[in-house]
Structures are given as C-alpha cells and as structure tokens.
Amino acid sequence: MDHTKKQQGVTRRGFIRSVGIGGMAATALGIPGAVGGQVAAMPRRKLGKTGVEVSILCLGGMFDTVNNQLLLRQALNWGVTYWDTAEGYGNGLSEEGFGRFFTRYPATRKEIFLVTKFRPSPPDKLSEALDKGLKRLQTDYVDAFFTHGISDFNQITGVRDWAEQMKKAGKIKFFGFSTHTNMEDCLLAAAKSGWIDTVMFTYNFRLMNTPKMKEAVDACAQAGIGLTSFKTQAGGQVKPDAEAEFKLLQKFLDKGFTDKQAKLKAVWENPNIASVCSQMPNLAYLSANVAAARDLKSLAKSDFEALERFAAETRSGYCAGCGRICQAAVGGKVPVNDVMRCLMYYKDYGDRELARDVFAGLPEEARSHLAEMDYSQAERACPQGLAIAELMAEASELLA
C-alpha cells in the first residue's frame, strides 16, 4: 500500500470515529431537528392498545443518570418523554437517578412515560423488586413494567395474574417484556396470548426485512401490542471493514444526516414501531438522535438498498439473536447469544464495565468452560456464519 493510500485510510477511520460517536451533533446542538429538511416538534405515536402516545425516541437509562441530571432535563425539554430503566442498570443507580430528578422536579413525573424492567422471577420476588424499584424511582407507579431479557415466552406465563394484581393496585399501568434472544418467537407468542400490552425488542436494519420478523411485527400490531425497538444501530461482535463503513457514512452525509441517524430513520419508517429506545449518555448523542427524530425527511428506496447491502456485506460479524439455534447445537451448555451480547457491549459500545457485569451474571459453569467447548456444529448451524469458537475464546479472555 502506498503512503497516499495509507494516509487516506487513516483519515477515513479517524473521520468515522469522530463523526460516528455523536452523529453530526456538533451542527445539531442548539437546533435539534435541523437535519436535512423541515423541522418539526418531537413526533409521537400511540403505543398499541394502551392508547398512550409516546415520543418516538425513548431515553435508554443504561448510563449514570445520577450525575447527568442536566441531560435528563434537556431530554424532557426536547420532547423525549419516554424514559426507560431497569433494576440491573448500575445495580439500581439508574432508577435512583431518575428518582432524584422526579424529587427535584415533581411536576415532570406526569409528563414522562416511565418504564422499568426486572429479570424473570416468581411473583413474590417481582413484588419485592417492584416495591424497591418504585422507592428508588421516587414514584408510586410505573407506566409500564417489563420482564427483562426473556428468550422464551414461557418464562413469563406464570406472572399473568400478578400483573393484573399490580395494575389493580395502581403500581403499574401496563405489562410487557423485553427480548434480544429469539425475538420473533417471543413476539409471535405474545400476539397469540391476548394479555401482553407492550414489548421492547431487538429490531434494526439487519433484521427488519427477514420474513419471520415481518410476520412477528405484523402479528403484534394486529393484536394491539405496543412495540418499542432497541439495539437499532445493530452493532456486532466483529468491527466492520472501515472502508465499508466510510462508504455508508459518505452516502448519507451527502443527504444531510449520518449513517447512524439513517439507521434510526429506517426503523421509524415502520409505523408499527412506536418508539426507538436509545442509550444517550451525553448531549452529543441526545442531540443527534433528537435531530433525526424531528427531521421530516424520509429515506429513499436507494437508502434502504444501501443499508441492506451493508448488512449483507457485514453479516458474519453480527449475532442476529437466534439463540435457540446455537444453544441447541451446544446442548444448552453455553448461552452463546448472551456471550455475544457481552462482546457487543465490549467491542461496539466500548463499555467494558457493562460487558463484564453482564458476563458475570451468566452461569459460572458456562463461563468457566467457555473456551473448551466444541462449537463446530454451532458454526455450521449459524445463519450469519459467525466464527463462534473464535469469538467465545475471545470472550473468555476479555470478559473474565
């Protein structure tokens, strides 16, 4: 490679890093919504049969909310009135940060559609956890309560009566679940169940066009289930080629927004998705995402085609969440999909602490034997063509 090409490559990688982190936030700051077209207020959509209108951008609370009170205030000022947290985020500190905000600005509580989440547990444990969560949040109720991170709808069938009791007690308004494993199966089961109000699930430009995902989303929409997407940037376990990323970025910059903003807009093009939940730990992220949400310019057919090409070119670096396939291939001994998610937090999010915390919560036996398993059958079965053995060995080294 000659010196000129080498210089050019470094410049492109540097440009991707500097622009990609916060989108074009530097130009959007102060005028969120001034991206590529006419500016509008923060759009809102009905969350399924709940009848509640929520902002199409949801503030994901997986960051230090205690020490980012100004960001919470700015999110509210910019119309981001759907806030999401969980007991496990910072071991309750995320909820505590929201609670401090509501204590300081009590009148704002009624403006916020507030969600918290807890891992699958028996009803008595859920009651205890919910009461502690409400205390941390400094509120008498949450607008929606999610059982967090299910991979099979059967994990929550035993809490239907509990959910109804909590609604009657006024502690929750709506009940649902979140899922980033076997999402399509969970959604299809929810649509048939008749009692799920809302779901938060992995949904992005890599997954939205698969036949089963289309079927699952349509089924939930017909059943009146309110849908919120997360993991919309579709970050993977293997970093895409810098040249491919640069080409995608360049295409969208010519239209007035970044590739990251385009990925959000692609999800919002589906009217069945009420909101996108995004972790926005600083004003740069918040501003860029608010700008994308408030921009009225739609993606063109060629834009979707560009995203589809990028997804196809980089598919072997992205775990699509079909954990039932790889876990069956290893006899259920390793939660491969969960380990892949930890790698995503580590390598794509750059959040090593979060990655190691989630990894530490996996079964000890699985973690201790992670690099010793035979993954050849799982690799043959993986629809994405992931190098599972190599990635599991890497996880064992990086996350232990």
Side-chain angles (χ1 to χ4, degrees), residues 358-369:
V358 176
F359 184 73
L362 301 179
E364 193 278 332
E365 185 177 358
R367 287 184 281 117
S368 61
H369 299 294

Side-chain angles (χ1 to χ4, degrees), residues 310-361:
F310 180 76
E313 292 169 2
T314 60
R315 68 193 300 270
S316 62
Y318 175 75
C319 175
C322 41
R324 65 190 183 284
I325 297 175
C326 50
Q327 286 179 223
V330 296
K333 295 180 180 179
V334 174
V336 176
N337 184 78
D338 290 328
V339 178
M340 291 290 190
R341 185 160 52 89
C342 295
L343 278 175
M344 178 195 67
Y345 291 145
Y346 189 100
K347 298 169 75 174
D348 187 70
Y349 282 33
D351 193 332
R352 298 182 177 186
E353 183 179 356
L354 171 63
R356 288 175 175 145
D357 283 348
V358 176
F359 184 73

Side-chain angles (χ1 to χ4, degrees), residues 209-244:
N209 293 315
T210 64
K212 192 169 183 180
M213 181 60 83
K214 286 183 176 180
E215 178 190 1
V217 169
D218 288 346
C220 283
Q222 291 174 15
I225 296 175
L227 298 176
T228 301
S229 64
F230 59 14
K231 306 294 187 290
T232 51
Q233 292 300 307
Q237 290 67 39
V238 179
K239 194 68 177 170
D241 176 72
E243 187 70 21

Side-chain angles (χ1 to χ4, degrees), residues 68-86:
N68 278 279
Q69 297 288 294
L70 176 61
L71 184 143
L72 300 184
R73 184 70 188 181
Q74 192 60 59
L76 182 59
N77 288 342
W78 282 343
V80 182
T81 55
Y82 182 176
W83 292 9
D84 166 79
T85 184

Side-chain angles (χ1 to χ4, degrees), residues 13 109 155 157-158 231 259 290 390:
R13 285 194 294 274
R109 175 63 189 93
Q155 290 177 269
T157 53
K231 306 294 187 290
D259 55 332
V290 167
E390 180 181 326

Side-chain angles (χ1 to χ4, degrees), residues 91 223 355:
N91 293 317

